[in-house]
Amino acid sequence: MSVIAIVAVVLIALLHVYILVLEMFLWTGSRARAAFGTTEEFAASTRVLAGNQGLYNGFLAAGLLWGAFASDPVGFQVRVFFLACVIVAGLYGAATASRKILFVQTVPALAALTLVLLAR
């Protein structure tokens, strides 16, 4: 697999680690509230839910890192699967929560998936 494709997958994984940190540990802070456009009241009342959501982002990150460093053919299959999961999650989030998710999550994952497929 090309180095560019590996770097793209790792960057998507790091994005999801960042989202995990925002949702699990910083949800009620100003940085997370600004990133997600929430109020103090909303953040306080949804802290546990956001933590759970952050955990799922952590699972996406773990799968992407596994795929980035596993040898093929398993590595390729894992990369494709987890990038597809990110794309589906991003599409759902863009449709139900914020269009911004389309550009923050879906488009980068599509670009990474394209690189992974081209590197095959």
Side-chain angles (χ1 to χ4, degrees), residues 71-115:
S71 57
D72 290 338
V74 172
F76 173 77
Q77 295 165 345
V78 171
R79 289 187 293 276
V80 170
F81 174 78
F82 279 95
L83 286 169
C85 288
V86 170
I87 291 165
V88 171
L91 289 172
Y92 183 79
T96 60
S98 170
R99 258 199 195 140
K100 182 173 106 173
I101 295 170
L102 190 66
F103 302 102
V104 171
Q105 188 174 346
T106 310
V107 171
L110 275 169
L113 180 58
T114 300
L115 290 170

Side-chain angles (χ1 to χ4, degrees), residues 1-21:
M1 179 165 83
S2 81
V3 173
I4 295 170
I6 292 171
V7 169
V9 172
V10 170
L11 288 174
I12 301 299
L14 292 175
L15 171 65
H16 284 275
V17 169
Y18 179 67
I19 295 170
L20 171 146
V21 170

Side-chain angles (χ1 to χ4, degrees), residues 41-87:
E41 298 80 25
F42 180 83
S45 68
T46 59
R47 186 180 59 77
V48 173
L49 179 65
N52 185 278
Q53 194 168 288
L55 186 61
Y56 285 96
N57 278 292
F59 292 141
L60 288 173
L64 289 165
L65 291 172
W66 171 30
F69 297 106
S71 57
D72 290 338
V74 172
F76 173 77
Q77 295 165 345
V78 171
R79 289 187 293 276
V80 170
F81 174 78
F82 279 95
L83 286 169
C85 288
V86 170
I87 291 165

